[in-house]
Amino acid sequence: THGAFVFGSLGLDYFVTNRTTISLTGIKVHGEFKPNSLVDTYTDTLSNGNTIAQSYYQRSSNGTRTFNANGLQFGVKHLFPKEGEELSTDGNFFSGKNSGNSFYTTDYYNKSGTVSGTELQKVLNNGNNRFFTIQTDYTNPITAKTKLEAGLRAQIRNFQSDNETYIQDTNATAYTKISSDASNYKNTDNVYAAYATVTSGFKNFGYKVGVRAESSNYTGDLSNTGVKFTHNYPISLFPSLFLSQKLKDKQELQLSYTRRINRPNFFNLIPYVIDRSSKQVVMRGNPDLVPEFTNSLEASYSKTLKGNNNILASIYYKHTNNLITQYLTSEIDPVTGAYIMTFVNANSSYATGAELTSVNYLKKWWDITTNVNVYNSQINTSNITNKTQGALWSWFGKINNNFKLPKNFTIQLSGNYQSKTNLPVNQNQQSFGPPQQAQSASQGYIRPFWAVDAAIRKSFLKNNAAAFTLSFSDIFRTRIQNQHSESDLFIQDYSRLNNPQMIRLNFTYRFGKMDMSLFKRKVNGNGMQGATEGMQQ
């Protein structure tokens, strides 16, 4: 894929008084990509143990995707005479348009190696999105140890996407529109929330208790078919509790409970095939998805050792209802003849385990951070299929080294390993496009993978105002999505390197004296979120 994504913003802070500040920021986004691929596919078809057919085809694709958008952020912050008491209000509006086309050429070969037929396919698409978010936050330190925080938030998102698919067979001279595969889709997603938390304590005991109330609704409309989708979710409560007890010799115990929600995104919901790069499996969204709810309970112990070394040990349990997961169906895509991969709500899932994190300063010039996570997990798909796979024991490990060298050089070397699992602990949340790592494996498991990354930094000029950083990700080209899926209808082994090795060179230069506290004001970050979510269409 060749292309560029440019994000720019220009902001102004106006100090109305010494206690009130008004902020205004404009955002401009432009992206243009030209993806292309060449896929060779060999197929052996077996019946009763005998080879009855062999086939080979070559599929090439190319296209363009462009995206343009504008955003506006507005904020007001007021400081009260009482130290620490403040009120802020933030608004965000974002609007973008996108368009694209994809062209596929598939050459079918016979046994003699000559082309026996050619199929041409094109997909044309365009769309737009609009986001509006407004929130207000209030903080009041009631006493020296007690603080109250509260706020309100409303988020309104609108998407529209039109997609048309055309096929041209070997003996045809013009493209034929596949009406059954067209998708003209729009949806509105609204979320309303309020929260309040109290932080306090006495002596060596501290606590933070809070609750968030949230309501949402979702509507979708397939304008080419007249089919509509509607989901209304009544007010749900999301409590949270954090307890801490400091002990002698720099030790501390902590206990926490949280309930959270994860909503399906536009990519999960849109009910048409959005990735036909393969003629074996294509990806399609599911407009009937509902949010998943996760209850988490964790207990931890930490201790600071001599030389500022420290360890953190914890045990945890997480249970999720309506887990959003990928699912390979027995449905066939009418355009490519491939199986359809979609997203479904599994009945539930759980993960329970123990985690150990250690930070050690081995030398003045060398520190190392180690993390090991051992867990047992299972996905319950009894609502989808008549059998549920067994639980899996898995582990994840990561080690990070920092080396401080002479002449203001620093080197960072890190590596991680994920064992066989069905719920990876480090899920990759990417900005746009198909998921880069397996979201979960409800019909099998994710095979082990590992990776090593490195970076070197050189600081120079007065007060180290300038720096070059050279980084190299996935040095050994091993961060591969490798998944096994199995059902009564199929067995599939899938391997794909979605994030190839990348070398980055960054230059940073700090100039002038700047009051960085200006940029610490709480603002909602939907500007960049709008840009990246818009690219999904």
Side-chain angles (χ1 to χ4, degrees), residues 215-271:
S215 173
S216 63
N217 59 73
Y218 165 82
T219 59
D221 183 3
L222 279 172
S223 55
N224 59 309
T225 63
V227 177
K228 297 181 182 297
F229 308 91
T230 302
H231 295 293
N232 293 297
Y233 305 106
I235 295 177
S236 296
L237 297 180
F238 300 91
S240 61
L241 176 65
F242 299 88
L243 306 175
S244 65
Q245 177 66 55
K246 293 183 179 179
L247 306 175
K248 295 180 180 180
D249 301 324
K250 298 182 179 179
Q251 301 177 90
E252 186 173 357
L253 296 175
Q254 293 185 340
L255 179 67
S256 67
Y257 164 77
T258 59
R259 183 174 189 255
R260 300 185 183 278
I261 184 174
N262 178 38
R263 291 183 179 81
N265 60 29
F266 178 78
F267 179 80
N268 300 142
L269 291 168
I270 192 162

Side-chain angles (χ1 to χ4, degrees), residues 248-527:
K248 295 180 180 180
D249 301 324
K250 298 182 179 179
Q251 301 177 90
E252 186 173 357
L253 296 175
Q254 293 185 340
L255 179 67
S256 67
Y257 164 77
T258 59
R259 183 174 189 255
R260 300 185 183 278
I261 184 174
N262 178 38
R263 291 183 179 81
N265 60 29
F266 178 78
F267 179 80
N268 300 142
L269 291 168
I270 192 162
Y272 73 95
V273 175
I274 38 81
D275 183 6
R276 283 198 170 92
S277 58
S278 167
K279 289 180 71 69
Q280 279 71 49
V281 178
V282 296
M283 182 72 73
R284 183 184 69 189
N286 177 7
D288 290 324
L289 286 177
V290 298
E292 60 182 36
F293 296 86
T294 300
N295 290 279
S296 302
L297 184 64
E298 182 174 351
S300 63
Y301 164 80
S302 63
K303 179 174 175 59
T304 301
L305 305 171
K306 184 179 179 181
N308 209 31
N309 299 293
N310 63 76
I311 59 171
L312 173 65
S314 62
I315 57 175
Y316 61 88
Y317 176 78
K318 297 180 181 180
H319 185 273
T320 300
N321 290 317
N322 296 322
L323 173 76
I324 299 173
T325 182
Q326 294 182 33
Y327 189 79
L328 186 58
T329 71
S330 58
E331 296 181 66
I332 301 297
D333 176 34
V335 177
T336 61
Y339 281 111
I340 293 177
M341 175 82 78
T342 188
F343 300 91
V344 298
N345 288 112
N347 191 41
S348 63
S349 70
Y350 79 84
T352 181
E355 185 173 14
L356 178 66
T357 302
S358 175
V359 179
N360 300 98
Y361 295 88
L362 305 181
K363 301 287 184 180
K364 290 183 178 181
W365 49 270
W366 180 20
D367 67 84
I368 183 171
T369 302
T370 307
N371 173 261
V372 177
N373 191 328
V374 180
Y375 60 100
N376 180 269
S377 61
Q378 184 178 29
I379 303 174
N380 180 357
T381 56
S382 59
N383 60 319
I384 305 170
T385 179
N386 57 7
K387 64 179 181 180
T388 297
Q389 62 185 10
L392 276 179
W393 278 102
S394 309
W395 73 278
F396 171 82
K398 184 174 182 178
I399 186 169
N400 185 70
N401 295 272
N402 287 301
F403 304 94
K404 297 179 181 179
L405 304 180
K407 299 186 182 299
N408 293 325
F409 276 97
T410 58
I411 294 177
Q412 185 178 84
L413 181 65
S414 62
N416 66 277
Y417 176 82
Q418 171 69 66
S419 73
K420 175 182 175 181
T421 185
N422 51 22
L423 282 172
V425 297
N426 60 331
Q427 297 185 13
N428 187 322
Q429 302 296 329
Q430 65 156 37
S431 301
F432 51 85
Q436 297 294 287
Q437 285 288 353
Q439 189 175 34
S440 62
S442 59
Q443 294 168 288
Y445 53 84
I446 304 164
R447 288 190 171 89
F449 62 89
W450 60 276
V452 175
D453 305 316
I456 182 170
R457 177 185 174 94
K458 166 64 176 176
S459 302
F460 55 98
L461 298 184
K462 185 179 180 180
N463 297 323
N464 293 323
F468 278 106
T469 302
L470 180 66
S471 62
F472 190 178
S473 64
D474 197 11
I475 295 175
F476 299 103
R477 199 177 173 87
T478 54
R479 192 175 278 124
I480 299 174
Q481 178 181 332
N482 200 330
Q483 185 168 324
H484 174 82
S485 300
E486 186 172 333
S487 77
D488 294 334
L489 299 174
F490 60 82
I491 296 175
Q492 175 181 273
D493 292 287
Y494 176 87
S495 179
R496 186 173 187 176
L497 181 65
N498 283 320
N499 287 319
Q501 295 165 315
M502 184 173 292
I503 297 176
R504 294 181 177 92
L505 179 63
N506 292 335
F507 172 71
T508 305
Y509 178 61
R510 296 178 290 108
F511 57 92
K513 291 184 178 181
M514 189 174 294
D515 183 4
M516 298 306 294
S517 64
L518 293 176
F519 301 95
K520 294 181 180 179
R521 185 175 62 84
K522 183 186 296 183
V523 295
N524 62 74
N526 271 4

Side-chain angles (χ1 to χ4, degrees), residues 96-259:
K97 293 184 178 181
N98 67 85
S99 62
N101 57 67
S102 299
F103 296 90
Y104 303 89
T105 301
T106 305
D107 291 324
Y108 297 92
Y109 290 80
N110 54 33
K111 292 183 178 180
S112 62
T114 58
V115 176
S116 60
T118 299
E119 179 187 81
L120 302 178
Q121 176 188 348
K122 67 178 180 180
V123 179
L124 307 179
N125 61 77
N126 64 81
N128 60 73
N129 63 79
R130 293 186 303 274
F131 297 165
F132 176 71
T133 303
I134 186 169
Q135 74 178 58
T136 181
D137 300 281
Y138 173 72
T139 301
N140 185 2
I142 300 173
T143 67
K145 284 194 173 182
T146 303
K147 181 172 69 173
L148 170 68
E149 296 175 274
L152 300 171
R153 177 183 174 94
Q155 175 180 282
I156 300 172
R157 302 189 300 178
N158 293 286
F159 291 97
Q160 181 174 344
S161 184
D162 296 329
N163 299 267
E164 306 286 352
T165 300
Y166 300 82
I167 292 291
Q168 179 179 332
D169 293 324
T170 303
N171 299 322
T173 57
Y175 281 96
T176 301
K177 181 178 178 179
I178 309 299
S179 300
S180 61
D181 197 56
S183 178
N184 301 320
Y185 183 74
K186 59 182 179 180
N187 76 305
T188 300
D189 181 19
N190 303 322
V191 181
Y192 309 98
Y195 77 92
T197 63
V198 175
T199 305
S200 187
F202 52 89
K203 293 185 179 181
N204 292 324
F205 177 77
Y207 67 88
K208 182 177 182 179
V209 59
V211 64
R212 188 176 83 257
E214 194 167 292
S215 173
S216 63
N217 59 73
Y218 165 82
T219 59
D221 183 3
L222 279 172
S223 55
N224 59 309
T225 63
V227 177
K228 297 181 182 297
F229 308 91
T230 302
H231 295 293
N232 293 297
Y233 305 106
I235 295 177
S236 296
L237 297 180
F238 300 91
S240 61
L241 176 65
F242 299 88
L243 306 175
S244 65
Q245 177 66 55
K246 293 183 179 179
L247 306 175
K248 295 180 180 180
D249 301 324
K250 298 182 179 179
Q251 301 177 90
E252 186 173 357
L253 296 175
Q254 293 185 340
L255 179 67
S256 67
Y257 164 77
T258 59
R259 183 174 189 255

